[in-house]
């Protein structure tokens, strides 16, 4: 029962992260841009930032919980599988933690320092360049967490079958 609950919990987070990346973020930017608003990116960015914080904090907490409970489960999985699952869960916790408390925090600070909406900041402005770079890092760490979650899900499902 514990193993199944762990699998469902991680699967729910993975689904939320996938839905966020594939649907929520692109939809927020696409819909707001379609209205031709002068600050569409600023508004969409605010929506995405708030949504991403939920995904990141949930991923961090779920990964920590699963790391704690991995020692309570009975599994016929081998030692290598156990170690890889632990590594994957640690990657999820680290990636989502860094994504939220380091990268997103720096992005919020840059947006505040810009004073004007980001749409009105020149593309060659050093703050805009730094913001765009941080955005790329944010996408990468969430992607890494999702890949680690997928590997952990496969390992958890395999151990349920045994």
């Amino acid at each position: 029962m514990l193993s199944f609950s762990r699998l469902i919990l991680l699967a729910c987070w993975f689904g939320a992260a996938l839905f966020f990346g594939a649907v929520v973020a692109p939809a927020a930017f696409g819909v707001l841009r379609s209205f031709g608003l002068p600050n569409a990116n600023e508004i969409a960015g605010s929506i995405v930032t708030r949504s991403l914080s939920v995904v990141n904090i949930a991923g961090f907490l779920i990964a920590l919980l699963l790391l704690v409970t991995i020692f309570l489960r009975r599994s016929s999985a081998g030692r290598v599988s156990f170690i890889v699952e632990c590594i994957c869960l640690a990657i999820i916790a680290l990636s989502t933690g860094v994504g939220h408390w380091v990268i997103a925090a720096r992005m919020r600070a840059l947006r505040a320092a810009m004073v004007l909406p980001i749409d009105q900041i020149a593309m060659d402005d050093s703050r805009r360049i730094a913001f765009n770079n941080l955005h790329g890092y944010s996408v990468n760490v969430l992607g890494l967490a999702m890949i680690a979650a997928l590997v952990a899900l496969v390992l958890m499902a395999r151990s349920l079958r045994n």
Side-chain angles (χ1 to χ4, degrees):
M1 182 66 179
L2 178 63
S3 294
F4 182 71
S5 298
R6 294 176 78 253
L7 176 72
I8 293 300
L9 192 57
L10 186 58
C12 287
W13 178 81
F14 177 76
L18 185 61
F19 183 72
F20 168 81
V23 178
V24 174
F29 282 95
V31 168
L32 288 168
R33 286 176 183 159
S34 73
F35 284 101
L37 299 171
N39 59 342
N41 289 336
E42 182 75 18
I43 297 167
S46 295
I47 293 167
V48 167
T49 297
R50 184 163 294 178
S51 302
L52 180 59
S53 70
V54 172
V55 170
N56 277 332
I57 292 170
F60 180 77
L61 294 174
I62 288 169
L64 289 181
L65 176 67
L66 296 179
L67 274 169
V68 169
T69 60
I70 196 168
F71 298 102
L72 301 175
R73 70 179 172 90
R74 283 191 212 141
S75 176
S76 58
R79 181 180 171 145
V80 172
S81 180
F82 175 82
I83 292 169
V84 172
E85 186 178 333
C86 285
I87 290 169
C88 287
L89 294 172
I91 288 170
I92 296 166
L94 185 63
S95 296
T96 55
V98 167
H100 180 70
W101 287 293
V102 177
I103 298 170
R106 289 183 182 170
M107 290 174 76
R108 285 190 303 274
L110 276 171
R111 284 174 73 186
M114 289 180 200
V115 181
L116 297 172
I118 195 164
D119 304 286
Q120 296 176 15
I121 304 295
M123 292 300 278
D124 61 349
D125 185 289
S126 63
R127 296 168 299 176
R128 180 82 182 254
I129 292 169
F131 183 88
N132 290 342
N133 288 337
L134 286 169
H135 177 265
Y137 297 143
S138 177
V139 169
N140 289 338
V141 296
L142 182 60
L144 177 63
M146 291 171 65
I147 291 168
L150 194 55
V151 171
L153 283 168
V154 168
L155 294 173
M156 289 175 176
R158 272 186 39 196
S159 73
L160 274 177
R161 280 193 2 205
N162 294 339

